Amino acid sequence: MSKGLRVFCFQLKQELVQVRVLILFMILAVFIYSYLEPVANLAQAVGEKVSPWAFPHLMNDYICQMVFMVSAVFLFSTAPFEGNAHYYIVQRSGSLSWQLGNVLYILASSFLFVGFIWVLSVISLLSRTKFSGGWGIIWGTLARTNAGNQYDVPQYSVLR
């Protein structure tokens, strides 16, 4: 188990600091910010604060689902992670530890990926956020009226 954890740490260090992963996260940040900007504009025009529950609305939208899935495929496109050090690490740790480390890496980076999307959805509305237990006035307005059409809020990002 300890060898598998070391392989996991090696994979995490090697994969998450690659330029393609950093660029992917920057593109996702711009996408999420631009996707939630109309909601922030609506909140500013109405004079109300938005509750930080944008993440479920992003996950409910078909376009966002497609972008996130393509991003996840791009994130894991180098699997089974056989780089320059692959044979050396397999010889040192064993095949089972290598596979365990890869599975742990995929699980951890999946959680980091979803957590990154959640944090960005909160940060992109942070200046206009009111932390409350409910959905709030803005999300309720978007769900019950056509106010989103006036501010170019994507149609599938509201509750139906």
Side-chain angles (χ1 to χ4, degrees):
M1 186 68 174
S2 66
K3 289 181 183 179
L5 287 175
R6 286 190 212 133
V7 170
F8 159 71
C9 291
F10 175 77
Q11 290 294 85
L12 198 64
K13 289 177 192 174
Q14 187 163 346
E15 290 291 322
L16 288 183
V17 295
Q18 288 188 1
V19 174
R20 68 177 179 79
V21 174
L22 299 175
I23 290 173
L24 173 71
F25 283 167
M26 286 190 296
I27 290 171
L28 277 175
V30 170
F31 174 76
I32 290 171
Y33 179 79
S34 66
Y35 213 77
L36 292 176
E37 187 177 19
V39 176
N41 293 340
L42 172 66
Q44 183 178 6
V46 174
E48 288 291 329
K49 298 283 188 175
V50 181
S51 63
W53 305 116
F55 181 75
H57 298 287
L58 288 174
M59 292 299 152
N60 190 36
D61 184 51
Y62 298 125
I63 294 171
C64 288
Q65 288 175 4
M66 193 168 26
V67 168
F68 296 152
M69 287 287 88
V70 167
S71 300
V73 167
F74 187 72
L75 182 65
F76 298 118
S77 64
T78 59
F81 313 112
E82 294 179 359
N84 296 336
H86 167 71
Y87 294 111
Y88 175 75
I89 293 173
V90 169
Q91 287 291 350
R92 298 270 306 178
S93 65
S95 178
L96 184 63
S97 296
W98 171 259
Q99 293 170 0
L100 177 66
N102 283 337
V103 168
L104 289 174
Y105 165 74
I106 289 172
L107 288 172
S109 58
S110 296
F111 282 114
L112 288 172
F113 181 70
V114 172
F116 179 76
I117 293 170
W118 178 76
V119 167
L120 276 178
S121 70
V122 172
I123 288 175
S124 64
L125 296 172
L126 194 60
S127 64
R128 295 178 182 93
T129 300
K130 174 180 70 173
F131 292 94
S132 64
W135 286 106
I137 294 172
I138 298 298
W139 296 117
T141 302
L142 288 172
R144 293 183 191 100
T145 67
N146 64 352
N149 293 338
Q150 297 172 5
Y151 291 91
D152 295 328
V153 176
Q155 290 182 354
Y156 294 109
S157 66
V158 297
L159 289 174
R160 301 223 176 239

